Amino acid sequence: MTQVTEIAPDLFRISTFVPEADLQFNQFVVRDDEPLLFHTGLRKMFPLVRDAVATVIDPTRVRWITFSHFEADECGALNEWLALAPRAQAACGVVGAVVSVDDVADRPARTLADGEVIATGRHRFRYCRTPHVPHGWDAGLLFEETERTLFCSDLLQQNGEVEPLTRADVVGRFRDALLNYQAGPFANYLPWTPMTDGILANLAGLGPKTLAIMHGSTFVGDGGARCRDCAAVFRDVLGGRNHGA
Ligand SMILES: [Fe+2]
Ligand SMILES: [Fe+2]
């Protein structure tokens, strides 16, 4: 039920498809001197994610717990991970720590400034502050500089039970998912703000070659071009005629 796939050297995608939501929930674990998790998964999904992580590393060795923004699928199992792994610490932006995490979590977070790097051994994770991209005041993303992997959170979400890795069209799938949500109770899932284009241009400028996407397939290829395409989808679907509740 939960699939584990190596999407880049020592970087694993853990994926659980939830039929009721027609959506995959993905977490990413990096095997290194200081193992890092991007997304804890939902609290109720913790046993599944823990057991999947255990096929890659000893889960009690997790050192860094990272995520984009404060939301249940991003960090709902944070306290379960803090209890399991004695050296684990959340790492997030200042807004996330001050506004939410340091109240809810059982241990305080390490706060990351824009551009700050967490070195875990062979890998280097650069924190990029991205307010309201994909969504949330506290949003940020990580870019792993050694393998050039961008951890995208909800950007480029694709619905359905899709393949772990693809070089094909994730942007068209993202557009379909947004249009689908715009027609129902999940409308305006992601905002389009005056900052969106600039943030996506900065992410494209990092030159990612793997896009580790939270819901859907991981994309391998020209990730910068896909970030620019993603900006066009935001403008088209959310910036104009479809911008209704
Ligand atoms: Fe989200
Ligand atoms: Fe999400």
Side-chain angles (χ1 to χ4, degrees), residues 23-25 39 69 71 73-74 135 153-154 157 189 214-215:
L23 197 60
Q24 290 171 330
F25 290 82
H39 308 145
H69 47 276
E71 197 173 22
D73 62 348
E74 296 270 349
H135 55 185
S153 177
D154 300 317
Q157 164 167 343
Y189 160 51
M214 183 186 213
H215 308 286

Side-chain angles (χ1 to χ4, degrees), residues 141-160:
L141 298 174
L142 287 184
F143 178 64
E144 200 290 300
E145 297 178 335
T146 306
E147 301 294 341
R148 309 201 75 75
T149 300
L150 178 65
F151 294 84
C152 295
S153 177
D154 300 317
L155 285 179
L156 294 168
Q157 164 167 343
Q158 309 138 56
N159 291 358

Side-chain angles (χ1 to χ4, degrees), residues 10 17 58 63 69 71 81 96 101 127 156 191 230 241 243:
D10 291 320
F17 178 65
D58 174 355
R63 174 70 179 93
H69 47 276
E71 197 173 22
W81 278 102
V101 176
Y127 178 72
L156 294 168
C230 181
R241 60 193 156 75
H243 192 68

Side-chain angles (χ1 to χ4, degrees), residues 21-42:
D22 191 32
L23 197 60
Q24 290 171 330
F25 290 82
N26 305 329
Q27 302 79 40
F28 300 93
V29 61
V30 177
R31 184 166 58 195
D32 209 337
D33 298 341
E34 297 189 359
L36 178 144
L37 200 59
F38 191 77
H39 308 145
T40 68
L42 298 160

